[in-house]
Amino acid sequence: GDTVFLLAGTHLINANVAVPTGVSLRGEGEKTVITSTSLAQEWNTPILSLVSSELSDGNQRISHLKFDGQSLTAAQAIEIKRRNNVEIHDCTFVDFRYVAVLWYGDGGFVGGDPYDEAYPPEKYATGNKFHHNLVSNCSAYTYFGYGALWLGGQEGMQIHDNSIIQKQRGSNQNGYCIKTYGGWMRGLKIFNNYLETAGNEWLFAIEGFFFMGCEIFNNEIIGAIDVNFSWKDNYAFGLNIHDN
């Protein structure tokens, strides 16, 4: 139930920080900068880790902070795994090499190749929200497209009122704004966002797999939506894209 308040200034963090459940972080907006010059590997080097060994109630918020990747030096700002009820809002993410936030539920990477032997997670993460954030130049295209916001195994997640722009890199080097990590999204709502991508042959602002009861609406999107495999399950629809 504690909140850690970070004062204005630049906080240079060169070793991964594990944030326990129940602990929230709050800064003073753009004046509170979290950055790294050494956490640069492609996988498993986020600045902050909100990771549990089994699905747990996070009951925590990360807010009013600026995460700076030091001109694509740092790989990733945040990783969240196996936690419910985590909220990221009123944050800025700029210039991370691969991804701003990797956020997935139970079961790890649920399906290596989405077209081959994909399987759902045993349990879905619930109650998570990403809203009122600014994300700029935080996803790469290497041998595949990353997502600035990279998601998997979520139920009822809300993504709204964000600006995610990925057009700053050269041809075929820009990743996607929002992408599913393996996929398997239930009751996801993506709404009231500004999404823009460019400089890649695919031009995907949103790419994802395995949708049940998901909705994409009231967004301004410069780029394409690429969605694969949807069905109703217990919802009224599999995937509803409208009023964008």
Side-chain angles (χ1 to χ4, degrees):
D2 291 331
T3 297
V4 177
F5 290 93
L6 289 91
L7 299 179
T10 298
H11 302 264
L12 181 63
I13 299 174
N14 284 328
N16 171 258
V17 176
V19 183
T21 57
V23 175
S24 295
L25 305 177
R26 183 185 175 103
E28 298 185 47
E30 293 277 335
K31 297 183 294 183
T32 304
V33 180
I34 294 178
T35 189
S36 178
T37 57
S38 65
L39 295 170
Q41 296 299 312
E42 181 177 5
W43 301 103
N44 300 319
T45 58
I47 297 175
L48 301 180
S49 290
L50 285 70
V51 175
S52 296
S53 58
E54 59 185 25
L55 199 60
S56 305
D57 187 9
N59 189 28
Q60 57 199 139
R61 288 149 300 285
I62 297 176
S63 65
H64 302 92
L65 295 165
K66 180 177 181 179
F67 294 86
D68 188 339
Q70 287 285 330
S71 300
L72 309 185
T73 299
Q76 176 183 334
I78 302 173
E79 179 181 20
I80 304 169
K81 183 177 181 180
R82 300 192 187 98
R83 288 197 184 173
N84 301 324
N85 300 312
V86 177
E87 189 172 350
I88 298 177
H89 66 88
D90 295 285
C91 288
T92 298
F93 300 85
V94 296
D95 299 332
F96 282 88
R97 180 177 292 275
Y98 296 109
V99 57
V101 182
L102 175 60
W103 201 333
Y104 51 111
D106 200 17
F109 189 88
V110 285
D113 182 337
Y115 296 101
D116 182 26
E117 299 181 0
Y119 56 93
E122 294 181 5
K123 298 178 181 178
Y124 288 80
T126 61
N128 293 319
K129 299 178 181 180
F130 186 85
H131 63 91
H132 293 94
N133 300 293
L134 302 176
V135 185
S136 178
N137 195 23
C138 288
S139 67
Y141 190 93
T142 54
Y143 49 94
F144 68 95
Y146 292 79
L149 182 59
W150 211 5
L151 309 167
Q154 301 288 328
E155 183 171 4
M157 187 173 189
Q158 295 187 14
I159 301 169
H160 65 88
D161 294 284
N162 304 289
S163 174
I164 305 178
I165 300 174
Q166 186 57 55
K167 63 176 185 178
Q168 297 87 348
R169 307 185 194 189
S171 178
N172 293 324
Q173 296 180 24
N174 288 286
Y176 311 143
C177 299
I178 299 173
K179 180 173 180 171
T180 61
Y181 183 80
W184 304 102
M185 310 300 289
R186 296 173 55 89
L188 168 72
K189 293 185 183 297
I190 300 174
F191 60 98
N192 295 349
N193 300 285
Y194 178 82
L195 308 175
E196 182 176 358
T197 188
N200 184 287
E201 60 179 322
W202 299 109
L203 293 174
F204 295 156
I206 300 173
E207 184 194 42
F209 303 85
F210 309 114
F211 296 96
M212 293 154 278
C214 297
E215 198 171 6
I216 301 172
F217 63 98
N218 290 347
N219 303 285
E220 182 175 354
I221 301 172
I222 299 177
I225 299 175
D226 176 58
V227 289
N228 307 267
F229 310 115
S230 67
W231 59 96
K232 289 183 179 181
D233 197 53
N234 296 322
Y235 294 91
F237 50 82
L239 181 63
N240 188 3
I241 302 173
H242 63 91
D243 297 291
N244 297 288

